[in-house]
Amino acid sequence: SVSATTRKPRPGEEEGVHYFFKSMDEFRQMIDAGELVEFMEVHGNYYGTPNGYLQELSQKGIHAILDLDVYGKVNFDKTYPDAVGILIVPPNMDELRSRLLSRAQDSEETIKLRLENASRELDFAHEKGRYEYTVINDNLSDALEKLTEIFAKEMGLKPVM
């Protein structure tokens, strides 16, 4: 799926391919008009899923894969209760911290905040989320294989790897 965002495009990102880039006013209009299935403010920018886009995909027989945070997933489930939820989690908080440090993109303070947020989000997901599957991302190729198996199972296909 392609999300709407108020974030500015990064080099190489294309409108309608990576995101639907919106001004803050345009995004607020989408909220007011009820055009978003879910939306959230993340790090000062808004992100949301346009319902019209999902309906277009569905009418074409296309299955959408969405990347939602745990709070957006709860709202999404109100409109699409039959959607299958897959929670992707790090093996543990120490590993998540190590990955954030190795990216060398964030300050120590930002990493601490991200870890606190991740802990809260995992607690929320387990308490209030609806996930049929949980994938532990301890090894990227293993996690990808597990996701492929889940997609194949849910779509009634044989996995190809």
Side-chain angles (χ1 to χ4, degrees):
S1 177
V2 179
S3 298
T5 184
T6 58
R7 178 176 67 68
K8 299 292 181 211
R10 294 181 181 136
E13 289 183 330
E14 297 177 40
E15 170 70 21
V17 175
H18 298 97
Y19 286 98
F20 298 111
F21 295 100
K22 304 293 180 187
S23 70
M24 191 62 79
D25 286 342
E26 290 171 322
F27 201 94
R28 285 189 184 117
Q29 288 172 3
M30 292 177 76
I31 293 170
D32 292 343
E35 295 175 8
L36 298 168
V37 178
E38 59 80 35
F39 65 92
M40 193 63 128
E41 181 185 0
V42 181
H43 307 297
N45 291 299
Y46 282 91
Y47 295 83
T49 304
N51 195 32
Y53 177 74
L54 293 180
Q55 290 174 357
E56 286 177 32
L57 293 178
S58 180
Q59 289 170 356
K60 294 176 183 176
I62 298 171
H63 296 273
I65 299 172
L66 288 80
D67 177 9
L68 301 174
D69 69 21
V70 295
Y71 309 109
K73 171 75 165 77
V74 170
N75 290 327
F76 183 84
D77 286 342
K78 293 174 186 172
T79 304
Y80 293 95
D82 295 333
V84 176
I86 305 169
L87 182 64
I88 302 174
V89 300
N92 55 57
M93 286 298 155
D94 288 338
E95 177 62 21
L96 180 56
R97 178 176 169 64
S98 176
R99 291 176 185 180
L100 291 171
L101 285 168
S102 69
R103 288 188 339 187
Q105 293 180 343
D106 297 314
S107 67
E108 183 66 34
E109 183 177 309
T110 298
I111 290 172
K112 181 180 177 191
L113 178 61
R114 285 182 179 268
L115 290 170
E116 289 169 2
N117 287 343
S119 180
R120 275 194 297 275
E121 289 168 0
L122 287 172
D123 289 344
F124 182 90
H126 292 300
E127 291 171 17
K128 298 188 179 172
R130 187 180 59 78
Y131 296 94
E132 287 74 15
Y133 303 94
T134 298
V135 173
I136 299 171
N137 185 12
D138 54 353
N139 174 287
L140 184 59
S141 61
D142 291 346
L144 180 58
E145 184 175 339
K146 179 71 173 163
L147 286 170
T148 301
E149 290 171 5
I150 293 168
F151 295 151
K153 177 182 174 188
E154 290 298 325
M155 295 175 66
L157 305 171
K158 290 186 177 181
V160 178
M161 284 301 286

